[in-house]
Amino acid sequence: MFDIGFSELVLIFVVGLVVLGPQRLPIAIRTVMGWVRTIRGLAANVQNELAQELKLQELQESIKKAEALNLSSLSPELSKTVEDLKQSAQQMQANLASTQGEVTKLTDEQVAEIQAKIEQEEQQIVATDLPKSEENQPLVDDVVSDKAKLSPAEIAEQAELDESQFSAYYPPDDELASPGASVSQQQDKQNVS
């Protein structure tokens, strides 16, 4: 197609690998292949339309030549053939107009699909490139903003609830440090709790 040899393809692949990296290169290749497929489809549609237009133009020219020769003086069979040619030319024009509308619609849909895929791939790339701390940051911001919405009494109540959860794991300090308690009694209290 572009007269690219194997060595040029390898060079392009290596440059792409260095520039984009191993994570982004497959996504970039898929995107480029999608563009190539779309462009090939558009080129095929344009070629088909041009071929139909050329046929239509030739048919119209032959009809004009026949009218110039005053076919009305010819036999009824020839005049019937000319009428058939006119009808087929009109049908081809109608088909061409409908095909052109469909091609335009399909082209717009394909372009929209490719743009949507590109946006999705960019979002995936951005999501994979974010460090873990930045991914968790919105959660921390949500907790901080929730606490900012609380009144001072609610914040104090929340702090007491947090302390009560820790007391189940850590015994109070004054039980262990009571005066006159021996070391063995303190160890027994620790073993029981």
Side-chain angles (χ1 to χ4, degrees):
M1 184 166 99
F2 294 109
D3 196 28
I4 296 177
F6 181 73
S7 60
E8 287 90 1
L9 285 175
V10 170
L11 180 65
I12 290 171
F13 179 75
V14 169
V15 169
L17 185 62
V18 169
V19 171
L20 297 175
Q23 291 177 346
R24 294 183 187 166
L25 186 62
I27 295 171
I29 290 173
R30 276 186 255 138
T31 304
V32 169
M33 291 306 296
W35 290 346
V36 168
R37 279 189 217 109
T38 303
I39 291 171
R40 283 184 182 172
L42 292 174
N45 288 338
V46 168
Q47 286 177 349
N48 289 338
E49 286 182 32
L50 288 175
Q52 286 181 356
E53 292 231 9
L54 287 174
K55 287 180 184 178
L56 182 62
Q57 187 176 6
E58 289 174 4
L59 188 58
Q60 287 175 347
E61 287 176 4
S62 65
I63 290 173
K64 287 180 183 178
K65 286 180 183 177
E67 287 177 350
L69 294 174
N70 286 331
L71 288 178
S72 59
S73 62
L74 295 175
S75 68
E77 294 173 1
L78 288 176
S79 62
K80 181 181 178 186
T81 305
V82 170
E83 290 299 321
D84 290 342
L85 286 174
K86 286 181 181 180
Q87 289 176 358
S88 64
Q90 290 172 352
Q91 287 177 350
M92 285 185 74
Q93 281 180 336
N95 289 341
L96 185 62
S98 66
T99 304
Q100 184 179 7
E102 290 175 7
V103 167
T104 305
K105 180 182 174 185
L106 288 175
T107 304
D108 293 341
E109 290 174 358
Q110 289 175 346
V111 168
E113 287 176 10
I114 289 175
Q115 287 176 343
K117 286 180 183 178
I118 290 171
E119 290 174 2
Q120 287 176 346
E121 290 171 356
E122 287 176 353
Q123 290 174 354
Q124 289 175 352
I125 289 171
V126 169
T128 57
D129 288 347
L130 285 177
K132 296 293 181 187
S133 64
E134 289 181 9
E135 290 177 358
N136 294 335
Q137 187 64 31
L139 297 175
V140 172
D141 291 342
D142 290 342
V143 170
V144 170
S145 66
D146 287 344
K147 285 192 176 181
K149 294 177 185 176
L150 298 176
S151 68
E154 292 173 333
I155 293 174
E157 184 179 326
Q158 187 69 31
E160 289 176 9
L161 288 175
D162 290 343
E163 285 181 19
S164 66
Q165 291 174 355
F166 291 123
S167 66
Y169 297 109
Y170 301 107
D173 291 334
D174 49 19
E175 287 182 5
L176 293 177
S178 62
S182 66
V183 175
S184 63
Q185 288 175 346
Q186 289 178 356
Q187 287 176 352
D188 290 339
K189 287 183 182 180
Q190 286 178 354
N191 291 336
V192 171
S193 50

